[in-house]
Amino acid sequence: MKIAVLPGDGIGPEIMKQAIKVLDFFGLNDAISYSPIGGAAYDLFNDPLPEATLKLALEADAVLLGAVGDWKYDKLPREFRPERGLLRIRQELNLFANLRPAIMFPELVHSSSLKPEIVTNLDIMIVRELTGDIYFGQPRGINKNEKGEREGINTMRYSESEIRRIAHVAFLSAMKRSKRLCSIDKANVLETTELWREVMTEVSNEYPEVQLSHMYVDNAAMQLIRNPKQFDVMVTGNIFGDILSDEASMLTGSIGMLPSASLDENSKGMYEPSHGSAPDIAGKDQANPLATILSLAMMFKYTFDDQKKFDAIEGAVKKVLQDGFRTADIYSNGTILVGCEKMGNAVVERLEG
Ligand code: NAD
């Protein structure tokens, strides 16, 4: 078992330290190798994804990532910015399928900004395509047009095969759950997503048990707030998935709770919390490490096919919440406020228990 650990920037190193305690608990310290990514890598090597980091990630069975980014890099040319390192590693590892579960833990129902009856028992899986769409399409850039005015260009582009392979991931995921899949597009306006809808419908013929529905993205954004429990598995492209999965995360109380898995065709994966590097709280021992710890759990489930460790870690997280421990982002009256470090320790103690 080879695990590449890339802590990254901001709160990345603090939350990663807590996930490493869990790996230590399972006696897997020898499986880990560290490398920098994002701003931390730029500072050392002038590159947000240095050759050595990419090599380590390519050779590993799985990658565990903290987060990248900091406002201090915002003025750098785009190719040197931390986020570019992240986009490149996803592309180099061909991690086209991003799985983002949004699960409401019963203890956190009151941390949600929505009414309890709307979010109690919420359990959605968002399947987001991760290596195509407007984030990667060419041409792109900021150029001068014929009037001498600056013009920004990005290109929304999907090939049939790219849509087909993410469709299969989504249908297989639906088969393992309630056999309902909602595909999100903007087929009324964008040809790219008109093709998306056509291909999704074609692939659905191979999964007759799955009930496929389609929804425009603007309606989906509204329905997620109005009645999120109507969804089970949602599948969508890169940019719509980016936005909708952050929206779904807030239904569950805090983005600090949400893990993610990004997989290639062979279930090699990169596992990371859905949130960013939170520079506003970095170094203050305030970050919630549970999304990272739950991402590690997903690593055991999806890459190492180890349901037992997945269940053990998820069970320990549930127990910590039942016992009343909360970081600031999920704190409410009557619970026990702890920092990042103590939250990590509390999870390991419950694993030991
Ligand atoms: P963010 O997710 O970092 O933070 C948004 C808000 O959520 C902040 O108030 C932050 O304090 C809070 N938050 C995030 N994670 C938390 C946690 N674990 N515990 C408690 N609170 C948490 O998003 P942002 O502020 O828009 O971006 C900050 C930086 O992160 C930017 O440089 C951005 O590009 C980068 N970013 C990176 C990733 C990634 O690495 N996958 C994703 C999104 C943003």
Side-chain angles (χ1 to χ4, degrees), residues 8-42:
D9 308 319
I11 59 170
E14 316 165 38
I15 52 178
M16 187 59 78
K17 201 171 142 199
Q18 312 315 314
I20 298 302
K21 289 177 187 168
V22 174
L23 280 170
D24 282 350
F25 168 81
F26 288 116
L28 290 170
N29 347 28
D30 291 345
I32 307 169
S33 308
Y34 288 88
S35 210
I37 190 167
Y42 173 79

Side-chain angles (χ1 to χ4, degrees), residues 11 15 65-71 74 83 86 90 254-256 272-281 286-289 291 327 329:
I11 59 170
I15 52 178
L65 179 96
V68 302
D70 191 293
W71 303 308
D74 283 355
E83 294 76 11
L86 188 60
R90 287 174 179 165
S254 168
I255 198 159
E272 55 179 313
S274 298
H275 57 75
S277 56
D280 51 335
I281 55 167
Q286 286 176 9
N288 184 346
T327 41
D329 56 311

Side-chain angles (χ1 to χ4, degrees), residues 31-77:
I32 307 169
S33 308
Y34 288 88
S35 210
I37 190 167
Y42 173 79
D43 289 344
L44 289 170
F45 303 107
N46 228 21
D47 184 350
L49 181 63
E51 226 16 71
T53 301
L54 180 59
K55 186 165 179 286
L56 188 78
L58 285 167
E59 286 170 1
D61 300 308
V63 180
L64 188 62
L65 179 96
V68 302
D70 191 293
W71 303 308
K72 71 179 179 187
Y73 302 106
D74 283 355
K75 292 262 174 306
L76 286 175

Side-chain angles (χ1 to χ4, degrees), residues 121-286:
N121 297 326
L122 181 75
D123 182 353
I124 302 176
M125 174 66 85
I126 298 189
V127 179
R128 167 188 170 196
E129 202 290 332
L130 204 58
T131 52
D133 206 350
I134 198 163
Y135 290 175
F136 293 95
Q138 295 290 343
R140 64 185 296 157
I142 301 174
N143 307 315
K144 285 248 166 82
N145 67 14
E146 54 290 351
K147 291 186 206 145
E149 193 186 6
R150 279 179 306 157
E151 189 177 70
I153 302 170
N154 291 94
T155 305
M156 181 176 259
R157 187 182 283 252
Y158 265 125
S159 68
E160 189 179 340
S161 58
E162 283 175 308
I163 303 170
R164 207 169 279 282
R165 64 181 184 175
I166 193 71
H168 283 291
V169 173
F171 277 100
L172 287 170
S173 182
M175 286 292 287
K176 289 189 196 140
R177 293 170 54 105
S178 74
K179 301 196 169 91
R180 285 186 296 118
L181 175 63
C182 184
S183 171
I184 311 298
D185 61 42
K186 188 74 184 165
N188 51 343
V189 183
L190 299 168
E191 285 80 355
T192 316
T193 69
E194 192 183 327
L195 178 67
W196 176 280
R197 187 177 283 218
E198 276 174 31
V199 175
M200 283 289 157
T201 307
E202 285 162 23
V203 174
S204 72
N205 294 328
E206 296 175 48
Y207 301 89
E209 285 173 64
V210 176
Q211 187 195 331
L212 172 69
S213 59
H214 302 276
M215 194 179 279
Y216 296 137
V217 63
D218 38 355
N219 187 21
M222 188 177 76
Q223 295 298 335
L224 265 175
I225 300 294
R226 196 183 73 86
N227 176 19
K229 282 190 269 186
Q230 70 185 280
F231 298 110
D232 187 55
V233 181
M234 301 172 86
V235 60
T236 189
N238 206 344
I239 187 166
F240 297 160
D242 192 359
I243 298 164
L244 292 180
S245 59
D246 268 23
E247 186 188 355
S249 75
M250 275 322 292
L251 302 176
T252 67
S254 168
I255 198 159
M257 291 301 301
L258 284 199
S260 83
S262 307
L263 306 174
D264 73 1
E265 313 240 16
N266 306 309
S267 299
K268 172 172 176 163
M270 185 160 86
Y271 298 84
E272 55 179 313
S274 298
H275 57 75
S277 56
D280 51 335
I281 55 167
K284 296 182 180 166
D285 192 35
Q286 286 176 9

